[in-house]
Amino acid sequence: PRLHLAKGLTRYADIELSVLAPRVLVNWASAPEALKNLVAIGGALKYTLLREDDYYVSLAGRVSYSRLVTSFFKADIFGANGSLSRSFKLPFVPVVMTPYAGAGYLSTVGAFDMQFVPYFGGGKQKAQNYRFFAGMSAKFRIFDMTGQYDFSDTPSLGTYSLKLSLDI
């Protein structure tokens, strides 16, 4: 489970915080040992350059930082992306649909604990990649369901996600 909070600071800027801590799982005894010590915390700042209220589409930029810690690996993940979106209301039902698409950059710097992973080369490991994403959000009153597809120039890194959130 992941807790993700976002709060508008101004009309154009939002701040986000997230925590992932699997140790709160109900069936904790059957979890793999590597998962028991996993913690990921992070934050982001999003700035809307063009608002849909004033322009036909919204254009936003976002920068983020996350820290991933396990018993054998620690990583710092930096990201930046931009996205375009446009909302529209469905006729006769109180649903707002928002398709969006964007591109970004991720950079990861991590280090393995050589005591747990002795066959891996020592020192910090670095990885970077460009990412592309597209999705659709459907909002009904305070409920928001979003489906997204992420892909990069490495075909095996494509992911699908579906989330349900409360917008209060």
Side-chain angles (χ1 to χ4, degrees):
R2 180 181 82 152
L3 175 64
H4 183 90
L5 301 171
K7 173 70 175 115
L9 299 175
T10 68
R11 182 177 171 170
Y12 297 98
D14 297 331
I15 190 167
E16 302 174 9
L17 299 171
S18 65
V19 176
L20 172 73
R23 60 182 62 164
V24 299
L25 292 173
V26 175
N27 195 5
W28 186 243
S30 65
E33 193 60 39
L35 186 64
K36 290 182 181 180
N37 296 320
L38 182 134
V39 175
I41 59 171
L45 182 63
K46 179 179 149 190
Y47 190 80
T48 303
L49 302 163
L50 302 176
R51 287 184 54 90
E52 221 174 273
D53 301 343
D54 304 322
Y55 299 93
Y56 183 71
V57 296
S58 286
L59 173 65
R62 182 176 180 268
V63 294
S64 63
Y65 168 78
S66 297
R67 170 123 259 217
L68 172 68
V69 178
T70 68
S71 57
F72 61 90
F73 184 69
K74 292 179 178 68
D76 294 307
I77 304 145
F78 304 93
N81 63 52
S83 63
L84 279 172
S85 65
R86 173 72 181 156
S87 297
F88 58 93
K89 293 180 181 178
L90 294 179
F92 310 113
V93 285
V95 175
V96 177
M97 305 293 287
T98 307
Y100 62 90
Y105 172 78
L106 285 172
S107 174
T108 303
V109 177
F112 286 94
D113 184 340
M114 299 311 292
Q115 185 178 19
F116 287 99
V117 190
Y119 54 84
F120 210 89
K124 293 189 177 196
Q125 307 298 317
K126 296 178 183 178
Q128 57 188 3
N129 206 355
Y130 292 97
R131 69 183 276 259
F132 307 94
F133 55 93
M136 173 81 75
S137 169
K139 185 174 181 183
F140 174 71
R141 299 192 181 164
I142 66 167
F143 300 101
D144 190 351
M145 185 167 66
T146 303
Q148 181 171 308
Y149 176 61
D150 284 84
F151 56 99
S152 71
D153 54 353
T154 307
S156 63
L157 294 181
T159 60
Y160 296 94
S161 64
L162 183 65
K163 74 175 182 176
L164 180 63
S165 58
L166 297 175
D167 191 3
I168 50 177

